[in-house]
């Protein structure tokens, strides 16, 4: 978990042994993840046909509910929960950059998505499951363009291939 170790080293550089600084960093990581969650939901709802105002409100509500969910209390308040926070931030960034790359066709955003996936894997092992999210997004978003189920599955697997290659490299 090199990214957690690096973040603790940076915290130690700035705060020494003062636990308040470590807690502040955890809260900031959690807030950054919530901002990304709000934007991801907003963009997906707008692509799905919602109005920008409704999408914004639902995105904020989703981020609020995600933020106050009791399961996140341990990660945010315990200093050692940092691994989950960093992995969550990297995953949320990966999803956001994947959605933006899909919308704009940007290769740099696609590469950023892969890099963020590597960061998530380097933060906590649970991030291995994140590699299927781009395939799921592609499968759901392409339902009108390709009506055939098998064709949608194959297209989704094609989209997931770079993430699966990164995952295979990580597991080896």
């Amino acid at each position: 978990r090199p990214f957690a170790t690096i973040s603790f080293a940076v915290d130690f550089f700035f705060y020494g042994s003062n636990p308040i600084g470590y807690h502040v960093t955890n809260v900031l990581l959690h807030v950054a993840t919530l901002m990304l969650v709000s934007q991801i939901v907003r963009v997906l709802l707008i692509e799905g046909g919602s109005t920008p105002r409704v999408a914004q409100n639902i995105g904020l509500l989703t981020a609020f509910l995600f933020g106050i969910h009791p399961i996140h209390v341990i990660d945010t308040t315990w200093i050692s929960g940092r691994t989950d926070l960093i992995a969550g931030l990297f995953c949320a960034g990966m999803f956001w950059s994947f959605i933006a790359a899909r919308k704009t066709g940007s290769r740099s955003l696609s590469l950023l998505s892969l890099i963020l996936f590597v960061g998530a894997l380097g933060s906590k092992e649970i991030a291995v499951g994140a590699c299927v999210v781009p395939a799921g997004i592609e499968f759901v978003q392409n339902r009108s363009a390709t009506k055939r189920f098998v064709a949608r599955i194959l297209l989704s697997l094609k989209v997931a291939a770079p993430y699966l290659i990164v995952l295979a490299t990580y597991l080896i």
Side-chain angles (χ1 to χ4, degrees):
R1 300 180 178 176
F3 290 104
T5 303
I6 291 168
S7 76
F8 287 132
V10 170
D11 273 358
F12 185 78
F13 177 79
F14 286 110
Y15 308 119
S17 297
N18 185 356
I20 298 295
Y22 294 82
H23 289 293
V24 168
T25 301
N26 280 9
V27 170
L28 291 174
L29 289 167
H30 189 58
V31 168
T33 303
L34 296 178
M35 293 169 61
L36 282 169
V37 166
S38 175
Q39 291 305 306
I40 290 166
V41 171
R42 184 185 65 79
V43 168
L44 288 175
L45 287 173
I46 288 173
E47 284 183 7
S50 293
T51 64
R53 182 176 174 94
V54 169
Q56 181 70 27
N57 290 338
I58 292 175
L60 290 172
L61 178 63
T62 302
F64 174 75
L65 293 174
F66 181 81
I68 65 167
H69 194 281
I71 201 165
H72 299 297
V73 171
I74 294 171
D75 298 332
T76 308
T77 57
W78 287 9
I79 294 170
S80 62
R82 171 92 45 101
T83 56
D84 291 320
L85 295 171
I86 295 171
L89 182 61
F90 275 126
C91 285
M94 174 195 140
F95 303 152
W96 179 86
S97 58
F98 171 78
I99 293 165
R102 188 179 178 282
K103 185 177 182 178
T104 63
S106 169
R107 288 169 115 17
S108 59
L109 284 172
S110 294
L111 181 61
L112 176 62
S113 181
L114 282 170
I115 291 169
L116 291 171
F117 180 53
V118 170
L121 290 172
S123 302
K124 190 158 185 178
E125 298 78 15
I126 194 71
V128 298
C131 68
V132 298
V133 172
I137 291 171
E138 188 66 32
F139 183 79
V140 170
Q141 294 289 323
N142 247 346
R143 67 180 172 265
S144 62
T146 308
K147 301 253 185 224
R148 290 187 32 223
F149 184 78
V150 174
R152 286 174 52 203
I153 292 282
L154 292 175
L155 181 60
S156 298
L157 288 174
K158 179 181 173 186
V159 167
Y163 300 95
L164 295 173
I165 292 168
V166 167
L167 177 60
T169 304
Y170 169 77
L171 293 174
I172 294 174

